[in-house]
Amino acid sequence: MAELLQVENVWAGYGDAIVLEELSFSVAAGGSLALLGRNGMGKTTLLTTLMGATRLHRGRIVFDGVDITKMPSHRRAQLGLGWVPQQRDVFPSLTVEENLTVVARPGHWTLQRVYDMFPSLRERRANMGNQLSGGERQMLAIGRALMLNPRMLLLDEPLEGLAPLIAQELLHIIHTMVSEGRMAVILVEQHARQILPITREALVLERGRVVYSGTSAELLADGARLDGWLGAGSTTGSSAAAAPAAPAPERIAAIDAIRNEHRAIAAVLNALTRIVDELEAGRLQPKFTLLASLIEYLAEVPDKVHHPKENQIFAMLRERTHEVDAQLDQLEAEHREAVAQTSRLDRALVSYVQGGAEGFAGFRDAARAYVADEWKHVNTEERHIRPAARRLFSAEEWQGIGEDFARNGDPWTGQDNRYAQLFKRITQLAPPPLGVGEAP
């Protein structure tokens, strides 16, 4: 695939202060690059340099065959560079629809397509830019950049500060954009394990210099180097702790599927916990449709989509090793009890609906017990099962597992996927900052 962006020996910064030194890399048309590094290492400076907002001391930047080294920012945007800054800048005095249409250029991304991708923006199209939640502003910032129909999209920490539900939904949208390959994407994010599975290439900066340039799969497989460059906390993508994975020659699709489903479940668990806490404190009025949607997700997705995949891995591990027998016994018993657990939670919700405030305590206790058990379940899988499977299964076996997983489906893809629609419904019903629903 032809190179869309070429950065050659770039030295750049602010005034006389040099932040970036000897940077050289390229991104193919339709490619994707994870830009990683600790805070203050030059990631945002690199994006602003690509947009012409810093002082370039040395080097050359070529975009789509055109030398843009000395080109002003607005000309770079006209050439096809789209930028979503970390500050989520939107026009506060314009409506959502005006924010989108004021920059529109002809191409694949139309107002209708942006609204289809971000349904909450359609619902708030008449709201002013300063009347949106943080998650909605981020969606609007990305939507506005897409309306430029860029050849390359620069995303600077798009998930920062967002509630888990919104972050997971937005991560899936970004994954969809990357997978389509209509445009190249450079993605900056603190949590490496969230974005490495959805990008092809990775670049790690340390003190303004490149210390890693290669495939995302290779970097994701090398937990020791990741933690060394980014810190152990930066590589954890959810509340479920993840043990560093053993080196592998390439990305494993089946592990990506398990990890993505864990993140979605974690987002729903976080939302349920927060809502119960807010109800108990009297800061939120009960919204039973939202609670029912959360429980429906927890009842349906793990049992019908997620657990069958894990059970296949469990059975293969039984044949290879006894080192995780105790954990497998525990997890398989919990899988068998999953329907009964969610049924108890469902009954507690019914009692809450029928009994009003008097039924809240029973629902609260059932919800907290379920969440605590589910976190233990996910942590056991992440700490013990996934690392053992990664170490013991061959590439050919992982390929077969991945093919079986694809046949079983997932909670995200497919136009009529009711699980994807259910997750969107939860996001749209949940109040800020958990989702983009009405504020309490």
Side-chain angles (χ1 to χ4, degrees):
M1 194 174 292
E3 290 180 347
L4 179 63
L5 175 71
Q6 295 168 280
V7 176
E8 302 172 359
N9 192 33
V10 161
W11 296 61
Y14 305 95
D16 293 331
I18 295 177
V19 178
L20 306 175
E21 301 179 5
E22 295 184 316
L23 254 64
S24 295
F25 66 94
S26 62
V27 180
S32 52
L33 177 74
L35 181 56
L36 305 171
R38 296 175 190 264
N39 288 332
M41 293 301 175
K43 305 184 299 296
T44 295
T45 301
L46 175 52
L47 296 191
T48 52
T49 297
L50 294 178
M51 290 305 303
T54 61
R55 182 177 176 184
L56 190 65
H57 292 263
R58 193 185 310 171
R60 192 167 78 115
I61 303 173
V62 178
F63 182 76
D64 199 18
V66 178
D67 190 332
I68 64 171
T69 306
K70 298 181 180 180
M71 188 177 289
S73 297
H74 70 278
R75 289 284 311 283
R76 299 183 191 212
Q78 290 171 352
L79 271 181
L81 269 174
W83 180 33
V84 181
Q86 192 174 3
Q87 294 80 9
R88 304 171 191 163
D89 294 331
V90 299
F91 298 117
S93 59
L94 298 183
T95 65
V96 167
E97 192 151 309
E98 288 169 340
N99 264 278
L100 294 170
T101 56
V102 73
V103 297
R105 299 178 65 198
H108 172 78
W109 288 103
T110 62
L111 185 63
Q112 182 60 44
R113 282 199 168 99
V114 170
Y115 280 158
D116 288 344
M117 180 163 283
F118 301 110
S120 61
L121 294 184
R122 178 187 285 112
E123 296 172 7
R124 287 158 173 72
R125 59 184 178 273
N127 286 46
M128 308 302 287
N130 59 6
Q131 295 175 323
L132 304 179
S133 68
E136 290 166 341
R137 286 197 302 273
Q138 186 64 283
M139 294 174 188
L140 179 56
I142 294 175
R144 189 179 60 186
L146 292 175
M147 290 291 287
L148 285 165
N149 278 287
R151 300 283 309 282
M152 173 175 283
L153 187 62
L154 312 177
L155 293 168
D156 194 354
E157 298 200 28
L159 309 182
E160 183 187 22
L162 299 183
L165 276 174
I166 301 175
Q168 182 63 35
E169 178 70 11
L170 192 54
L171 185 67
H172 173 61
I173 289 170
I174 294 169
H175 188 189
T176 300
M177 292 191 299
V178 169
S179 301
E180 287 177 347
R182 293 183 181 275
M183 61 187 169
V185 176
I186 297 181
L187 179 55
V188 174
E189 179 53 47
Q190 284 294 320
H191 300 297
R193 294 195 192 279
Q194 287 187 314
I195 66 170
L196 286 173
I198 68 173
T199 54
R200 298 184 188 92
E201 305 294 325
L203 197 74
V204 180
L205 297 183
E206 195 165 272
R207 294 186 178 88
R209 290 175 174 266
V210 176
V211 293
Y212 175 86
S213 179
T215 68
S216 296
E218 181 183 352
L219 184 58
L220 183 62
D222 195 340
R225 280 205 294 176
L226 259 182
D227 290 345
W229 284 326
L230 306 179
S234 298
T235 61
T236 302
S238 74
S239 299
E250 59 184 41
R251 180 185 300 164
I252 298 174
I255 287 181
D256 286 349
I258 293 288
R259 184 185 291 118
N260 288 336
E261 290 172 19
H262 275 171
R263 286 184 182 131
I265 292 167
V268 173
L269 292 174
N270 276 319
L272 181 58
T273 299
R274 176 73 176 270
I275 289 167
V276 168
D277 290 347
E278 294 293 296
L279 286 169
E280 185 175 40
R283 292 188 292 266
L284 190 67
Q285 293 300 309
K287 190 181 288 188
F288 295 118
T289 303
L290 170 60
L291 292 172
S293 297
L294 290 166
I295 294 171
E296 182 183 354
Y297 191 95
L298 293 170
E300 293 279 334
V301 174
D303 188 55
K304 297 205 168 102
V305 179
H306 188 60
H307 290 171
K309 297 175 183 176
E310 294 179 328
N311 288 338
Q312 180 177 353
I313 291 177
F314 294 174
M316 293 177 65
L317 276 174
R318 293 279 195 193
E319 298 175 355
R320 300 296 175 83
T321 181
H322 294 294
E323 65 181 85
V324 290
D325 278 355
Q327 289 82 10
L328 289 173
D329 290 344
Q330 171 195 333
L331 293 171
E332 287 172 344
E334 290 168 357
H335 282 190
R336 290 191 294 271
E337 283 292 310
V339 173
Q341 280 188 309
T342 52
S343 294
R344 285 192 289 271
L345 188 57
D346 200 28
R347 288 195 298 272
L349 177 61
V350 171
S351 297
Y352 181 23
V353 172
Q354 295 174 340
E358 293 182 0
F360 172 70
F363 174 72
R364 175 201 63 201
D365 294 344
R368 286 176 174 167
Y370 178 87
V371 169
D373 288 344
E374 191 64 19
W375 276 130
K376 291 177 185 176
H377 184 92
V378 172
N379 272 314
T380 300
E381 292 172 352
E382 290 285 340
R383 289 179 181 275
H384 301 283
I385 304 306
R386 185 163 59 81
R390 183 156 196 159
R391 187 179 71 252
L392 293 171
F393 298 168
S394 68
E396 291 77 13
E397 287 172 318
W398 277 120
Q399 182 177 354
I401 293 170
E403 291 169 355
D404 289 341
F405 279 15
R407 284 191 288 271
N408 191 53
D410 63 62
W412 298 117
T413 56
Q415 186 174 0
D416 299 321
N417 189 327
R418 71 186 188 91
Y419 301 127
Q421 297 306 315
L422 177 58
F423 197 94
K424 288 180 184 295
R425 188 201 314 161
I426 291 169
T427 305
Q428 291 164 17
L429 285 172
L434 291 173
V436 294
E438 295 182 4

